[in-house]
Amino acid sequence: MTEEGLKRLDQALNPSAVAIIGATAESDRVGYAVVESLIMGGFSGEILPIHPRHQEILGKQVYASLDKTPVTPDLAIVALNEHASIEAVKECGRFDVKAAVCVAAGYKEVGKRGAELERRLSEAANSANVLLIGPNTLGVMNAEARLNATFWPISLEPKGHVSLISQSGGVGQIIGFEMLSEGIPFNKWIGVGNRASMDFDDFLQYLLSDPSTDVIVAFIEGTEKARSFVDVAMEGAQQKPIIVMKAGKEDASRKFALTHTGSMAGSYKMYNDIFEQFGLITVHSIPEMISAAKALSLAPVPTGNRVGILTPTAGPSIILSDLLLEQGCQIPSFNQETMLDMSKQFSGVPVVLKNPLDASAAGYDARSYVSLAASIARDPNVDVLVAISIDHKNRTFPAQELVELTRDLGKPIVVYYICAPTDGAQSRAVCQEGGIPFYTSAEQAAWGTASLIRRRRAMNSWGGA
Amino acid sequence: MTEEGLKRLDQALNPSAVAIIGATAESDRVGYAVVESLIMGGFSGEILPIHPRHQEILGKQVYASLDKTPVTPDLAIVALNEHASIEAVKECGRFDVKAAVCVAAGYKEVGKRGAELERRLSEAANSANVLLIGPNTLGVMNAEARLNATFWPISLEPKGHVSLISQSGGVGQIIGFEMLSEGIPFNKWIGVGNRASMDFDDFLQYLLSDPSTDVIVAFIEGTEKARSFVDVAMEGAQQKPIIVMKAGKEDASRKFALTHTGSMAGSYKMYNDIFEQFGLITVHSIPEMISAAKALSLAPVPTGNRVGILTPTAGPSIILSDLLLEQGCQIPSFNQETMLDMSKQFSGVPVVLKNPLDASAAGYDARSYVSLAASIARDPNVDVLVAISIDHKNRTFPAQELVELTRDLGKPIVVYYICAPTDGAQSRAVCQEGGIPFYTSAEQAAWGTASLIRRRRAMNSWGGA
């Protein structure tokens, strides 16, 4: 994309005024949900619903047509059907609206007739000089500007540092919910839809240049412009971690993708091999994607792949070790000095000093836990410490002390905290604000840890520090 | 285990009075947490803390020794060190206490000296005719009797129909938390620990005979009595689903298991092959275990492996299809009649009629969703319906209608509901009470669906109906 295009997109994502063409007062319609989303998102600019007859929708004054609005919107959300959307885009051009999000389906994904409509839509946007997002998209969001330009009415507070590009709105919603659930809210949320005009490479280029985005995650079904995506991504990965999930492992499900956003899906293995080669972090599920995004957006990158594990009980560390080893991590022996240091701390209690270290014999108090954690983290054989804990009403988890430890040493610490779904919130907040990714399952902890190590490997391949 | 042994264990899990040998008033000690656990669990029988000097612990009167208690306890929890526990077990025998849970570590898992201590502990229990659970165990729980005989103070309400046996207390806690989180609370919770006397086969035999247990889950690091476990399990699986996870995929982590509960871990593949051959459901993670337990405890077993999918948006169904196909499910075409029926419901909207069926073109209202769900579920090509939905503030999820559908047809329905962690609780409650397993991730939905199909396969191999 040109500098001009990037600027235009930036303006669309940071608008002063947004028009909703096809706004309606019927609460089960998309044209209603779009207005509601803008309001719920917390947008502080002008919200301008367009409808020939309505007076007011959700307390917002309605305008009969685009030329009747008091200000020129920077962005229009078109919530009309696949035919009317084409006219609406032309109208955007006539009244100087620079960008449009088209939500309608019924284009390339439904076959030949739809493809022809899509060609006309795209042509209309080109001639009218309108930046076209979609069609067949849930829309876009920018938490930085509190812009929720979708038909998914959610609040955009708080905002985080991970941005996402998703070919599927529904999968984008899964990612959004999962990020919320994991305490790493998104910064920008882009539904690319059918990519009639703006494609993955354009949005990726934008997010790479976006100072509020630290980590990028992408869900891809397939694209005909894979080459130019890879060109942008291979350079981009050296600036920021890019985490990619490609759908369609199985032949049969690749066929489904074709009738979804009209994309040729391409071989799962081929995509992943190429992505890996260029230093992208490929993932195979949404939970893996979010676990990686969490680690890469919070923790420092380790110098190597050797993981030290501290646990209050052995079983969970066996499950975790299995997963870490599968992912190419090493679980080294501690060095002599560390062993000596530990055996002092256990003062004569019978215990096998090994990695993973079972701390149960030292009692369950926070002080001895931190002290053992420090011994492991300081061991020169250890590049990452994974600290396991189990929620217990009579025990305190030393979150703050671990935060100080990771800061002092500059080594990543990953927490695997076993708890009921409603517990651990306080400890998580302290950890994650302090640069420690906090997970509640062994799988997440292993994916997070492995993603840090994979990032190191990629950085080494570029000769980076 | 003999009939006599089973009866004795049943009595230990349904006691009228429980003694805590080594009870203490110091809140960071195990001997305190045990008393607290009994109270928090909601036990309505006598709680009898034993300590030579204390007067009262957590409002409960303390007795100086076992012979000073007003009634003879049916169960003693021994919260002493590895040496004193041996004496305590002898004392249990002297005062006619029939069963003891020994929580102390420092036995076989720490090496030769510990193994010798364990031999003496086991011998003491045998000569004293005391049923010994542990040592090195978190304990046991029976939600049916509201007995929390562990040092993990949690409430035992509500109770469910899935019971678990875990070699690791910590992993048992993960399983317990995960079940709670998934809305399928456990019925009995057994930490086997070092299995000095009572082993997996004994507990399995008990749970198979237990009328409140519908599904059994087991986490195994390894056992020297694998043969007798398999003997019990292969017969037992024909009565109730048995779901097994074996730890130690990687050689290195198998070594860790040896120093945990002192078990020879054995080959991961060998265990799983044998388990599968005898109709057990083998799983590779705790989330998979709980997803399977949920499906098998709630839904009817389908007649085949063909899955019909209804979705409000295509992307998530592509991810789900990938996972289902990987697990050996089929995603068949709908038959002609179903297609005709559907095309009427879409009344001219351009849509590709295929499985998975993207319902977005029919709008998002609950009535058309249910009607499409019914078309799919009634299709003779479909054995299981997976109904995907996305939480949206303006849409209603027709949970009750789906419950009626699964009941009418006798076909399993599985729900994959995409939502924020705090949402969907109401819909989940309706579904799960009505026999529909309700999941919030594609992975869980796929594991749950696959477990039903695997159960059918096993039943077919026994010639069952």
Side-chain angles (χ1 to χ4, degrees):
Chain A
M1 195 158 52
T2 60
E3 276 302 314
E4 174 55 28
L6 283 174
K7 217 175 122 188
R8 175 84 69 95
L9 178 55
D10 192 53
Q11 211 174 336
L13 290 170
N14 293 279
S16 328
V18 180
I20 305 97
I21 305 178
T24 162
E26 293 163 62
S27 72
D28 61 339
R29 302 287 298 278
V30 165
Y32 177 90
V34 171
V35 181
E36 200 180 17
S37 299
L38 281 164
I39 295 170
M40 278 194 72
F43 185 58
S44 60
E46 296 283 334
I47 298 175
L48 310 166
I50 312 287
H51 189 280
R53 289 173 308 278
H54 287 306
Q55 297 300 313
E56 201 185 275
I57 298 172
L58 287 162
K60 297 286 166 191
Q61 190 185 332
V62 175
Y63 301 90
S65 58
L66 210 46
D67 57 324
K68 300 288 191 304
T69 57
V71 291
T72 301
D74 310 285
L75 173 69
I77 305 168
V78 182
L80 297 169
N81 70 30
E82 67 273 27
H83 304 282
S85 293
I86 300 175
E87 289 313 306
V89 164
K90 287 181 187 164
E91 197 158 286
C92 284
R94 269 199 297 283
F95 298 110
D96 213 29
V97 180
K98 295 289 197 298
V101 171
C102 273
V103 304
Y107 291 102
K108 192 165 66 178
E109 81 282 6
V110 297
K112 217 168 167 182
R113 206 176 54 123
E116 171 54 21
L117 280 176
E118 185 163 321
R119 198 193 52 72
R120 283 173 48 204
L121 177 73
S122 160
E123 201 174 86
N126 275 342
S127 348
N129 196 23
V130 171
L131 187 98
L132 174 67
I133 299 172
N136 191 15
T137 176
L138 191 67
V140 293
M141 295 188 265
N142 177 10
E144 206 66 42
R146 302 203 58 184
L147 172 76
N148 180 348
T150 69
F151 53 101
W152 181 26
I154 57 166
S155 162
L156 292 187
E157 213 176 35
K159 65 182 182 202
H161 303 286
V162 178
S163 292
L164 73 96
I165 312 176
S166 178
Q167 193 152 3
S168 150
V171 174
Q173 287 175 291
I174 300 175
I175 297 172
F177 282 132
E178 187 93 7
M179 288 173 83
L180 193 68
S181 156
E182 290 300 318
I184 49 158
F186 59 78
N187 192 280
K188 307 215 163 38
W189 187 107
I190 313 280
V192 300
N194 280 13
R195 302 155 294 114
S197 163
M198 300 278 289
D199 209 321
F200 277 106
D201 53 341
D202 303 309
F203 291 113
L204 184 60
Q205 205 178 331
Y206 174 75
L207 292 177
L208 285 165
S209 73
D210 174 34
S212 352
T213 296
D214 292 343
V215 173
I216 298 166
V217 303
F219 173 76
I220 297 183
E221 292 173 7
T223 168
E224 301 75 15
K225 290 178 68 187
R227 177 60 186 264
S228 83
F229 174 78
V230 168
D231 283 347
V232 177
M234 67 182 278
E235 270 212 36
Q238 303 193 31
Q239 300 167 48
K240 297 178 186 180
I242 302 173
I243 302 163
V244 188
M245 175 171 169
K246 169 78 177 69
K249 257 180 254 190
E250 304 285 330
D251 284 345
S253 32
R254 275 206 296 285
K255 270 180 232 142
F256 308 147
L258 184 59
T259 53
H260 176 207
T261 49
S263 66
M264 295 301 296
S267 145
Y268 182 79
K269 193 179 170 318
M270 182 197 76
Y271 267 93
N272 279 307
D273 287 351
I274 292 172
F275 290 158
E276 281 287 328
Q277 186 187 335
F278 292 121
L280 279 69
I281 310 280
T282 58
V283 293
H284 305 282
S285 71
I286 304 298
E288 182 181 6
M289 171 191 275
I290 303 311
S291 302
K294 180 187 277 196
L296 290 165
S297 66
L298 295 177
V301 177
T303 49
N305 72 343
R306 299 164 306 167
V307 182
I309 303 172
L310 176 64
T311 183
T313 166
S317 75
I318 297 173
I319 292 181
L320 181 70
S321 301
D322 253 358
L323 295 165
L324 288 170
L325 293 166
E326 262 181 359
Q327 306 238 359
C329 304
Q330 274 188 57
I331 301 177
S333 300
F334 298 130
N335 80 358
Q336 271 315 103
E337 211 173 320
T338 306
M339 303 279 259
L340 217 69
D341 188 38
M342 285 172 172
S343 75
K344 274 181 215 151
Q345 294 179 56
F346 281 107
S347 60
V349 185
V351 62
V352 184
L353 292 175
K354 56 161 197 350
N355 183 15
L357 182 70
D358 186 344
S360 58
Y364 293 100
D365 73 295
R367 206 183 308 169
S368 68
Y369 185 88
V370 170
S371 150
L372 291 168
S375 299
I376 299 176
R378 285 205 192 92
D379 190 308
N381 289 353
V382 168
D383 302 309
V384 186
L385 164 66
V386 181
I388 305 179
S389 190
I390 301 188
D391 192 77
H392 192 290
K393 62 182 288 302
N394 305 341
R395 294 175 209 156
T396 311
F397 181 70
Q400 190 53 47
E401 290 84 344
L402 292 180
V403 165
E404 282 155 28
L405 188 61
T406 188
R407 282 192 184 145
D408 285 353
L409 301 178
K411 268 189 199 180
I413 297 180
V414 168
V415 165
Y416 167 27
Y417 193 83
I418 299 163
C419 64
T422 47
D423 295 331
Q426 179 63 27
S427 296
R428 184 176 82 175
V430 173
C431 283
Q432 298 201 163
E433 274 159 34
I436 295 181
F438 183 100
Y439 301 102
T440 55
S441 81
E443 287 74 20
Q444 292 173 316
W447 287 321
T449 305
S451 72
L452 292 172
I453 286 167
R454 292 164 75 187
R455 181 74 184 154
R456 163 55 54 202
R457 210 173 288 142
M459 285 165 76
N460 286 348
S461 77
W462 304 315
Chain B
M1 194 158 55
T2 59
E3 276 301 315
E4 174 55 29
L6 283 174
K7 216 174 123 190
R8 175 84 70 97
L9 177 55
D10 191 54
Q11 211 174 337
L13 290 170
N14 293 279
S16 331
V18 180
I20 306 96
I21 305 176
T24 161
E26 293 163 62
S27 71
D28 62 339
R29 301 288 297 277
V30 165
Y32 177 90
V34 171
V35 181
E36 201 180 16
S37 299
L38 281 164
I39 295 170
M40 278 195 72
F43 185 59
S44 59
E46 296 283 335
I47 298 176
L48 310 166
I50 312 287
H51 189 281
R53 289 172 310 276
H54 287 307
Q55 298 300 311
E56 201 185 276
I57 296 172
L58 287 162
K60 298 285 167 192
Q61 191 186 331
V62 176
Y63 301 90
S65 59
L66 210 46
D67 57 324
K68 299 287 191 303
T69 57
V71 291
T72 301
D74 310 287
L75 174 69
I77 305 168
V78 181
L80 297 169
N81 71 30
E82 67 274 27
H83 304 282
S85 292
I86 300 175
E87 289 314 305
V89 164
K90 288 182 187 163
E91 197 158 287
C92 283
R94 268 200 297 282
F95 298 111
D96 213 30
V97 180
K98 295 287 196 299
V101 171
C102 272
V103 303
Y107 291 101
K108 193 164 65 177
E109 81 282 5
V110 296
K112 217 167 166 181
R113 206 177 53 122
E116 170 55 21
L117 280 176
E118 186 163 320
R119 199 193 52 72
R120 282 173 47 203
L121 176 73
S122 160
E123 200 175 86
N126 275 342
S127 351
N129 196 23
V130 171
L131 187 96
L132 173 68
I133 299 172
N136 191 16
T137 176
L138 191 67
V140 293
M141 295 189 265
N142 177 11
E144 206 66 42
R146 302 203 59 185
L147 172 76
N148 180 347
T150 69
F151 52 102
W152 182 27
I154 57 167
S155 162
L156 292 187
E157 212 176 37
K159 64 181 184 203
H161 303 286
V162 178
S163 292
L164 73 96
I165 312 175
S166 179
Q167 193 152 5
S168 149
V171 174
Q173 287 175 290
I174 300 175
I175 297 172
F177 281 133
E178 187 94 6
M179 289 173 82
L180 193 68
S181 158
E182 289 300 318
I184 49 158
F186 59 78
N187 192 281
K188 307 214 165 38
W189 186 108
I190 313 279
V192 300
N194 280 13
R195 301 155 293 114
S197 162
M198 300 279 288
D199 210 320
F200 277 107
D201 53 339
D202 302 309
F203 290 113
L204 184 61
Q205 205 179 331
Y206 174 75
L207 291 177
L208 285 165
S209 73
D210 174 34
S212 354
T213 296
D214 292 342
V215 173
I216 299 164
V217 302
F219 173 76
I220 298 182
E221 292 174 7
T223 168
E224 301 75 14
K225 289 178 68 187
R227 177 60 187 264
S228 82
F229 175 78
V230 169
D231 283 347
V232 176
M234 67 182 278
E235 270 211 35
Q238 303 194 31
Q239 300 167 48
K240 296 178 187 180
I242 303 172
I243 303 164
V244 188
M245 175 171 169
K246 169 78 177 68
K249 258 180 252 191
E250 303 284 331
D251 284 344
S253 31
R254 277 205 294 285
K255 269 180 232 143
F256 308 147
L258 183 60
T259 53
H260 175 208
T261 48
S263 67
M264 295 302 296
S267 146
Y268 182 79
K269 195 179 168 319
M270 181 196 79
Y271 266 93
N272 279 305
D273 286 352
I274 292 172
F275 290 159
E276 280 287 328
Q277 186 187 334
F278 291 121
L280 279 70
I281 310 280
T282 58
V283 293
H284 305 282
S285 71
I286 303 298
E288 182 182 6
M289 171 191 276
I290 303 311
S291 302
K294 180 187 278 195
L296 290 165
S297 65
L298 295 178
V301 178
T303 49
N305 73 342
R306 298 163 307 166
V307 182
I309 303 172
L310 176 64
T311 182
T313 166
S317 75
I318 297 174
I319 292 181
L320 181 69
S321 301
D322 254 358
L323 295 165
L324 288 170
L325 293 166
E326 263 180 359
Q327 306 238 358
C329 304
Q330 273 188 59
I331 302 177
S333 299
F334 299 130
N335 80 357
Q336 271 315 103
E337 211 173 321
T338 307
M339 303 280 259
L340 217 69
D341 188 38
M342 283 171 174
S343 75
K344 274 182 214 148
Q345 295 178 56
F346 282 107
S347 59
V349 185
V351 63
V352 184
L353 292 176
K354 55 163 200 347
N355 183 16
L357 183 71
D358 184 344
S360 58
Y364 292 102
D365 73 295
R367 206 183 308 169
S368 67
Y369 185 88
V370 170
S371 150
L372 291 168
S375 299
I376 299 177
R378 286 205 190 92
D379 190 308
N381 289 352
V382 168
D383 302 309
V384 186
L385 165 66
V386 181
I388 305 180
S389 189
I390 300 189
D391 192 76
H392 192 290
K393 64 183 286 303
N394 305 341
R395 293 176 209 156
T396 312
F397 181 70
Q400 189 54 46
E401 290 84 343
L402 292 179
V403 165
E404 282 154 27
L405 189 61
T406 188
R407 282 191 186 147
D408 285 353
L409 302 178
K411 268 190 200 180
I413 297 180
V414 168
V415 165
Y416 167 27
Y417 193 84
I418 298 163
C419 64
T422 48
D423 295 331
Q426 179 63 29
S427 296
R428 184 175 82 174
V430 174
C431 283
Q432 298 201 163
E433 274 159 33
I436 295 181
F438 183 100
Y439 300 102
T440 55
S441 82
E443 288 74 18
Q444 291 172 316
W447 287 321
T449 305
S451 73
L452 292 172
I453 287 168
R454 292 165 75 186
R455 181 73 184 156
R456 162 54 54 201
R457 209 173 290 142
M459 286 165 74
N460 286 348
S461 78
W462 303 314

